[in-house]
Amino acid sequence: MARAYVENPDLNQSRASVRAQDEEAPKALAGKRPKASIQATAGWQVGAIKIPAGRSANGQRQFVDDAFSSFPRGATLAVLQTLFDGGRTESAFRQAESSVFAARSTLRLTEQAVLQNGAAAYMNVLRDTAITRLSRNNISVLEQQLRVTADRFSVGAVTQTDVAQAQASLAQARSQLYAAQAQLKTSIAGYRQIIGNEPRRLEPSPSVEPLLPKSLNQAITVALAEHPGVTAALHQVDAAEQAVKAAESVLSPTLSVGAQLTNERDAILGVPGTRQFAAAVVGQLNVPLYQGGGEYASIRQAKERLGQARLNADLQRDSVRASVVSSYGLLETAKASLTSWRAAEKAAEIALIGVRDEAKVGRRTTLDVLNAQQALLNTRVAIVVAQRDLVVASYAVLGSIGRLSADTLNLDVAIYDPSAHYDQVKVKWFGVETLGGP
């Protein structure tokens, strides 16, 4: 479980997705931060100027042609600061922040799925290993039974039919072993996919029932408050509310102030040697009146999406409630099933001993012994399956209430904290280096 928490690629890509979502916050804050730019121009210019030179004797105006070539160049530094934007930046930031919180809840969903799948993969390998071992033991028993039957046939105690029945049961057992081995290979592949390495020396794992609420009603209450599916939906509602405010801010006036410094040479009519320096500070007020109606459509659209987010929150609550009830039912079923199969195993063991004893004195047939042996095998396989189902169901219940986490399970790992990256990038004004983690 600890290895899956650290190395599972699905979980790590979800963490990277949250870190990418974190960057929406500084992008939103950029709306009220200053913007600065430098624009430089340079080029070559040729031209001619007619300069008035008075009038001739007959009164006609005279001009002197003056050709020139120059290298006009200049640079402009511009700074713009938004003072008021109708609350657009604040709403966009709160929307981004709510989306970050929703992404964290989605990450918790992925973490729960990985841990639950990891527990199931672990128990699947244990189950299939035990079933394979039982199948091998069954073959050994049936081989011994076949030898005994053959010996008894040689002395006329049983018929050829009894030998054939023993041979058929042995062949069937070998087929079951092959199926169990194939299933074990499949479970090992699933374990490798989720955990990241090959299973070695797996020990039986207890259920996590001590971590569960004492009753179903308590579990439902906890789930509705803590399940990441519910919290993600509620954060999405908050984000949708802020999206409505951001859309409405387009109708508000905006106020900004800008400063500009310009230095140019040889740029006035292209005359060489000319210089120009200018500085300006300008305030700008923009009052929107009508922009074609697109802004009103955006507001209506944002409101519809808000309604959709609220309905989705209700849907998530209903889904989580149903999941808790269902998972608790599966857990209770697994517990009752395990108790029943253990009782059946004791009865099957007694029955097998009795049938064997009766077969020795001719009161039971070889088929009766084989059937009793198969019944005992079936109950032991059912016990292994029920033990697996009980542990997996307990993890499913813990996940259904939203408490399946590395912290709750007390895994020996460094707990991933998504807020650390967010706190770093939220106040970051510049820089392109990433601050990602595992």
Side-chain angles (χ1 to χ4, degrees):
M1 297 287 280
R3 181 182 291 273
Y5 180 80
V6 174
E7 299 182 6
N8 184 269
D10 188 23
L11 186 53
N12 282 330
Q13 70 89 17
S14 295
R15 290 166 179 163
S17 177
V18 173
R19 292 195 296 271
Q21 184 65 42
D22 289 345
E23 300 292 348
E24 293 297 327
K27 286 171 61 177
L29 290 175
K32 292 290 285 290
R33 289 173 179 171
K35 299 173 180 60
S37 64
I38 295 179
Q39 180 180 359
T41 59
W44 180 68
Q45 183 176 0
V46 295
I49 301 177
K50 288 182 175 292
I51 303 175
R55 294 182 179 274
S56 62
N58 58 6
Q60 293 183 344
R61 298 185 62 182
Q62 295 182 329
F63 296 89
V64 175
D65 292 333
D66 185 13
F68 68 90
S69 64
S70 64
F71 183 62
R73 55 204 180 276
T76 300
L77 169 64
V79 179
L80 179 65
Q81 173 65 58
T82 300
L83 302 178
F84 178 75
D85 60 0
R88 185 183 313 171
T89 297
E90 290 78 4
S91 298
F93 171 71
R94 293 191 182 97
Q95 179 186 358
E97 196 168 43
S98 295
S99 297
V100 168
F101 295 152
R104 292 180 190 176
S105 295
T106 302
L107 173 61
R108 283 277 295 111
L109 282 175
T110 304
E111 177 184 332
Q112 288 202 150
V114 168
L115 293 177
Q116 185 172 336
N117 291 338
Y122 187 97
M123 295 305 300
N124 287 346
V125 174
L126 281 177
R127 176 199 61 193
D128 297 334
T129 300
I131 292 176
T132 301
R133 184 169 58 251
L134 288 172
S135 298
R136 287 198 180 99
N137 293 339
N138 186 50
I139 289 176
S140 299
V141 172
L142 291 177
E143 288 175 343
Q144 178 64 25
Q145 181 66 38
L146 178 60
R147 287 192 292 269
V148 171
T149 304
D151 292 342
R152 297 184 65 192
F153 172 72
S154 64
V155 298
V158 296
T159 67
Q160 182 65 40
T161 301
D162 295 294
V163 176
Q165 289 172 338
Q167 291 173 335
S169 295
L170 179 58
Q172 182 181 1
R174 286 171 177 162
S175 176
Q176 292 173 344
L177 174 60
Y178 299 147
Q181 290 173 332
Q183 181 59 46
L184 177 58
K185 291 180 180 179
T186 300
S187 296
I188 290 175
Y191 181 99
R192 175 67 176 81
Q193 179 183 4
I194 297 171
I195 307 301
N197 64 349
E198 297 296 327
R200 296 183 181 90
R201 299 188 302 274
L202 303 187
E203 299 293 335
S205 175
S207 71
V208 292
E209 289 183 79
L211 302 177
L212 301 179
K214 301 303 181 182
S215 68
L216 176 59
N217 290 335
Q218 290 179 357
I220 293 176
T221 301
V222 171
L224 294 178
E226 299 183 14
H227 193 278
V230 174
T231 58
L234 294 178
H235 287 308
Q236 288 167 354
V237 171
D238 294 338
E241 290 176 346
Q242 297 302 322
V244 172
K245 295 180 180 180
E248 292 174 340
S249 67
V250 177
L251 303 178
S252 301
T254 59
L255 177 63
S256 60
V257 60
Q260 183 171 300
L261 296 176
T262 302
N263 187 16
E264 296 180 326
R265 293 190 177 188
D266 299 348
I268 302 177
L269 299 178
V271 177
T274 58
R275 294 186 178 183
Q276 180 181 3
F277 176 82
V281 176
V282 178
Q284 181 177 355
L285 175 65
N286 180 33
V287 181
L289 298 178
Y290 185 72
Q291 290 81 40
E295 66 277 20
Y296 300 109
S298 296
I299 294 173
R300 296 193 301 269
Q301 183 183 56
K303 290 180 177 180
E304 291 293 346
R305 287 175 175 169
L306 172 58
Q308 180 186 9
R310 288 171 174 164
L311 292 173
N312 180 62
D314 294 336
L315 178 63
Q316 289 300 319
R317 291 189 186 96
D318 293 339
S319 176
V320 166
R321 183 183 290 105
S323 178
V324 172
V325 174
S326 175
S327 59
Y328 258 90
L330 292 176
L331 177 61
E332 294 301 322
T333 300
K335 291 166 63 176
S337 177
L338 181 58
T339 301
S340 299
W341 282 117
R342 282 174 173 165
E345 180 189 24
K346 293 180 180 179
E349 289 175 346
I350 296 173
L352 178 60
I353 294 173
V355 170
R356 283 175 175 172
D357 292 340
E358 293 174 1
K360 291 178 182 178
V361 296
R363 297 178 58 187
R364 292 282 185 170
T365 66
T366 300
L367 181 59
D368 293 330
V369 175
L370 295 175
N371 288 340
Q373 175 65 31
Q374 185 63 43
L376 178 59
L377 173 65
N378 291 341
T379 57
R380 287 175 174 171
V381 169
I383 287 174
V384 171
V385 173
Q387 289 172 333
R388 177 265 180 198
D389 291 345
L390 174 60
V391 174
V392 173
S394 67
Y395 278 89
V397 173
L398 192 60
S400 70
I401 64 176
R403 288 185 175 178
L404 180 56
S405 65
D407 190 27
T408 302
L409 298 177
N410 196 26
L411 300 183
D412 186 18
V413 294
I415 303 299
Y416 181 78
D417 182 13
S419 63
H421 178 267
Y422 176 74
D423 293 338
Q424 288 177 315
V425 301
K426 181 176 68 173
V427 296
K428 197 173 183 62
W429 282 52
F430 55 85
V432 296
E433 70 280 4
T434 59
L435 304 173

